[in-house]
């Protein structure tokens, strides 16, 4: 009866509670209780993370709006008389709205990548895909980006648009935090494909490496406005690799550079549809 009471309380108050564990000999019931409690834990974690996300997103957008409002006020008061103030205000308002547009698009990307898997899959050739992305980025940044691989072609089941987006995010990060050449290393084994993006930039302290995949986390928040970062790039990269049943991790040494290593399965198992 206490199990049912707890469930009814959860339903009524929408608060996460656990069922008290019964005596160990009620096998099926104790398994159900353990499963239910694990589910409650996961729901609570997910709920708290969503709340944190909403509060972080509001804070980020609010900061941008406050800056825009400040400059708009300056324009109203002195814009007609002072040419320098007018230029600075218009430039800053434009920059902040661009930031906000980027952030809003990224928030939408994150929201949609959490609601669905990455299908439909197609056969994607990774070496050519990397060459294409590099060809797009090189003229913009005028920096050396080299691709190293022993394979002529590397095929995998993937969503091509998402893989390109993943590459752009990783290269964009490397370009922001380094001024040397950037390297892409591609390799494959019996079942997986390995993609490594290597830069020789400022690196990341070891204590912070785990947190870079958290939404809005930035290693140095004072620096992100200068580099234009939103703290959403790597979380989107992680959402893309998760959706492809892959993994992403980072290795870094301060002052020496950073490697981001992505592993993706060559073949996607046809997963059972839940519909």
């Amino acid at each position: 009866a206490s199990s049912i009471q707890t469930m009814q309380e959860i339903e009524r108050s929408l608060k996460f509670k656990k069922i008290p564990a019964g005596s160990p000999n009620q096998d099926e019931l104790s398994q159900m209780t353990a499963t239910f409690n694990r589910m409650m834990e996961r729901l609570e974690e997910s709920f708290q993370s969503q709340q944190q996300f909403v509060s972080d997103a509001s804070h980020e957008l609010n900061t941008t709006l406050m800056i825009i409002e400040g400059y708009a006020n300056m324009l109203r008061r002195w814009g007609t008389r002072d040419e320098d103030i007018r230029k600075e205000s218009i430039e800053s308002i434009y920059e902040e709205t661009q930031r906000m547009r980027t952030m809003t698009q990224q928030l939408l990307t994150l929201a949609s990548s959490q609601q669905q898997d990455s299908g439909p899959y197609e056969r994607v050739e990774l070496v050519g895909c990397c060459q294409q992305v590099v060809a797009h980025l090189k003229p913009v940044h005028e920096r050396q980006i080299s691709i190293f691989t022993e394979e002529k072609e590397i095929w995998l089941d993937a969503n091509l648009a998402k893989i390109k987006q993943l590459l752009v995010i990783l290269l964009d990060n490397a370009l922001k935090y380094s001024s040397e050449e950037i390297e892409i290393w591609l390799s494959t084994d019996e079942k997986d494909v390995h993609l490594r993006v290597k830069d020789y930039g400022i690196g990341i302290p070891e204590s912070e490496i785990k947190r870079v995949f958290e939404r809005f986390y930035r290693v140095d928040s004072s620096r992100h406005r200068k580099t234009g970062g939103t703290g959403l790039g790597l979380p989107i990269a992680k959402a893309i690799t998760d959706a492809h049943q892959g993994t992403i991790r980072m290795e870094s040494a301060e002052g020496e550079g950073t490697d981001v290593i992505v592993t993706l399965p060559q073949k996607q198992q046809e997963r059972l549809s839940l519909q």
Side-chain angles (χ1 to χ4, degrees):
S2 65
S3 302
I4 292 165
Q5 276 171 347
T6 308
M7 286 182 185
Q8 285 169 339
E9 267 178 54
I10 293 168
E11 187 185 22
R12 203 169 44 246
S13 66
L14 290 178
K15 292 259 191 327
F16 299 98
K17 292 182 179 170
K18 289 183 181 174
I19 294 174
S23 54
N25 60 357
Q26 301 165 293
D27 263 357
E28 205 171 320
L29 198 56
S30 58
Q31 274 180 353
M32 188 193 79
T33 302
T35 307
F36 181 85
N37 288 344
R38 279 199 305 273
M39 182 180 75
M40 278 295 113
E41 250 168 52
R42 286 181 60 183
L43 280 173
E44 190 169 11
E45 241 171 66
S46 162
F47 182 70
Q48 283 167 349
S49 126
Q50 288 303 329
Q51 276 192 319
Q52 184 65 44
F53 182 37
V54 169
S55 120
D56 289 345
S58 311
H59 176 76
E60 287 289 332
L61 292 167
N62 200 33
T63 306
T64 304
L65 284 169
M66 275 167 61
I67 294 171
I68 292 172
E69 189 180 18
Y71 278 113
N73 260 331
M74 276 168 66
L75 268 179
R76 283 166 63 192
R77 288 157 73 180
W78 298 293
T80 47
R81 282 168 290 172
D82 191 324
E83 180 63 22
D84 286 348
I85 283 184
R86 186 158 79 235
K87 272 190 179 149
E88 185 195 341
S89 301
I90 290 169
E91 201 48 49
S92 299
I93 286 172
Y94 179 73
E95 273 174 27
E96 291 298 324
T97 42
Q98 292 296 95
R99 252 182 76 70
M100 206 149 137
R101 171 192 289 261
T102 305
M103 196 189 306
T104 312
Q105 282 170 339
Q106 289 181 326
L107 286 170
L108 290 171
T109 302
L110 259 184
S112 68
S113 64
Q114 284 174 335
Q115 280 165 7
Q116 61 198 45
D117 60 34
S118 70
Y121 296 117
E122 53 206 291
R123 294 295 284 154
V124 171
E125 201 286 295
L126 196 57
V127 181
C129 180
C130 287
Q131 286 165 343
Q132 266 184 347
V133 171
V134 168
H136 282 305
L137 289 178
K138 261 188 180 162
V140 183
H141 296 277
E142 294 173 346
R143 292 267 294 285
Q144 184 56 37
I145 304 172
S146 308
I147 300 171
F148 298 95
T149 179
E150 291 178 5
E151 319 280 332
K152 281 213 161 38
E153 292 185 338
I154 294 178
W155 289 91
L156 74 157
D157 295 342
N159 176 315
L160 180 61
K162 289 270 165 75
I163 295 298
K164 282 186 174 170
Q165 187 182 13
L166 173 69
L167 280 164
V168 168
I169 289 169
L170 299 186
L171 291 171
D172 196 44
N173 252 21
L175 288 160
K176 259 182 213 152
Y177 298 118
S178 72
S179 49
E180 308 288 313
E181 173 188 23
I182 288 155
E183 300 169 358
I184 300 173
W185 292 80
L186 300 173
S187 64
T188 175
D189 56 37
E190 302 85 73
K191 60 181 205 322
D192 292 321
V193 166
H194 306 280
L195 159 78
R196 180 185 285 257
V197 174
K198 185 177 184 60
D199 71 59
Y200 294 92
I202 53 179
I204 291 170
E206 197 175 335
S207 56
E208 314 216 16
I209 283 180
K210 280 200 169 56
R211 301 201 58 194
V212 294
F213 296 105
E214 291 175 18
R215 295 171 295 202
F216 295 114
Y217 185 76
R218 278 175 295 251
V219 174
D220 175 359
S221 54
S222 67
R223 199 175 53 207
H224 80 270
R225 278 201 174 267
K226 294 197 272 291
T227 55
T230 56
L232 290 171
L234 286 174
I236 292 174
K238 185 174 184 331
I240 293 170
T241 52
D242 285 351
H244 283 82
Q245 323 292 301
T247 60
I248 183 168
R249 64 189 174 86
M250 186 177 271
E251 289 172 4
S252 187
E254 274 189 276
E256 289 173 34
T258 303
D259 285 25
V260 181
I261 302 112
V262 174
T263 300
L264 298 168
Q266 290 178 30
K267 287 258 182 285
Q268 287 288 342
Q269 299 304 315
E270 283 308 316
R271 273 164 294 159
L272 293 171
S273 168
L274 295 174
Q275 267 110 41

